[in-house]
Amino acid sequence: MLRLLSFALFLVIWWTAALFVGGAKLPSPPAVLNVIIAEAASGALFLHLGATLARVALAFVLAMSLGSAIGYLMGRVKLADRLGDPWLILLLNLPALVVIVLAYIWAGLTEAAAIAAIAINKLPTAVVTLREGTRALDRSLDEMAIVFAIPRWRAFRHVVLPQLAPYIAASARSGLSLVWKIVLVAELLGRPNGVGFEIGVAFQLFDTPRLLAYSLTFAAVVLVIETALVQPFEARATRWRPRAA
């Protein structure tokens, strides 16, 4: 109910602002809804949303897989941490726009270049989070696994992973929000479809209703994924931790 109340308040503020500013600069909710319905009826909305979500999924899985493995290695092995730390600092401070432009220059305006650029921008945040999570592992539990001669894979699965699960969940949640934004920039600069591409077209035509239609639809999809998938995963991953009073 609180979420619905918050959404209703958002609509009231938006509608009121539209009355004061004017429909040319800020279209009212019904005007934007009409554009959403028209784009959905033509099939364009689902085509562009599907293209964007596919890029998000591929880049997110690639970045999380590599970032988790590298972060775990850097957290466990001091040599790997010292060798990888300068690269990590460089990637953390390199603007996403630079990575995307370089990827398009070096690999062309291809799908692989876009996904690689998005994954590279997400990679360092996953590495940092998992490295800190690995450093926080309870060493006494490692010693217990050694004493009881637990095989390495079973020890990793039943001793290490439960401790890393909150860090993986935090990295997934923060990384997902980052990937959404970078995907739109990559599509705006060099893809022939997707929500970012449509936002670029709307900007060139000064078509504010269309821009808001695609932006809000995409935001709604992100909100559904966050509520239905990410939050339950985070709650399950941290269920063993004591709750604050």
Side-chain angles (χ1 to χ4, degrees):
M1 292 301 298
L2 288 176
R3 283 176 176 261
L4 291 176
L5 181 61
S6 177
F7 179 69
L9 180 62
F10 168 73
L11 289 179
V12 169
I13 294 173
W14 176 9
W15 211 323
T16 304
L19 293 175
F20 280 100
V21 176
K25 292 185 177 180
L26 182 61
S28 63
V32 176
L33 181 61
N34 289 335
V35 176
I36 293 175
I37 294 173
E39 291 293 312
S42 67
L45 181 66
F46 301 110
L47 173 67
H48 293 295
L49 274 177
T52 297
L53 289 174
R55 293 182 185 115
V56 166
L58 287 172
F60 178 77
V61 170
L62 181 62
M64 281 297 299
S65 302
L66 288 175
S68 298
I70 295 172
Y72 181 75
L73 178 65
M74 291 178 68
R76 284 289 198 184
V77 182
K78 283 188 177 182
L79 179 60
D81 185 41
R82 291 180 179 179
L83 289 174
D85 193 62
W87 293 87
L88 188 58
I89 294 172
L90 175 65
L91 289 175
L92 282 171
N93 291 280
L94 194 63
L97 183 61
V98 174
V99 176
I100 294 169
V101 171
L102 285 176
Y104 282 149
I105 290 174
W106 290 338
L109 298 177
T110 62
E111 199 70 35
I115 293 172
I118 298 162
I120 289 171
N121 279 293
K122 157 62 185 163
L123 182 69
T125 59
V127 173
V128 169
T129 305
L130 267 295
R131 182 180 66 174
E132 297 308 313
T134 305
R135 287 174 175 176
L137 291 175
D138 190 343
R139 303 300 178 184
S140 62
L141 294 178
D142 290 340
E143 294 173 1
M144 177 200 70
I146 295 172
V147 168
F148 285 95
I150 300 176
R152 284 189 176 183
W153 170 245
R154 289 188 62 189
F156 180 78
R157 180 182 176 186
H158 297 290
V159 178
V160 175
L161 272 184
Q163 297 179 77
L164 289 179
Y167 295 93
I168 295 173
S171 177
R173 189 171 188 181
S174 62
L176 198 57
S177 63
L178 178 64
V179 168
W180 300 127
K181 300 165 188 174
I182 299 172
V183 164
L184 297 187
V185 177
E187 290 175 343
L188 178 66
L189 292 176
R191 301 312 304 139
N193 52 28
V195 174
F197 169 78
E198 283 297 314
I199 290 174
V201 172
F203 169 71
Q204 294 173 17
L205 300 175
F206 291 94
D207 191 346
T208 310
R210 185 177 182 181
L211 191 153
L212 287 176
Y214 274 93
S215 300
L216 292 176
T217 304
F218 183 65
V221 172
V222 172
L223 184 61
V224 170
I225 294 175
E226 170 77 15
T227 304
L229 296 177
V230 179
Q231 289 183 4
F233 171 69
E234 186 176 31
R236 181 175 177 81
T238 59
R239 68 190 185 280
W240 58 273
R241 285 188 163 183
R243 302 296 177 185

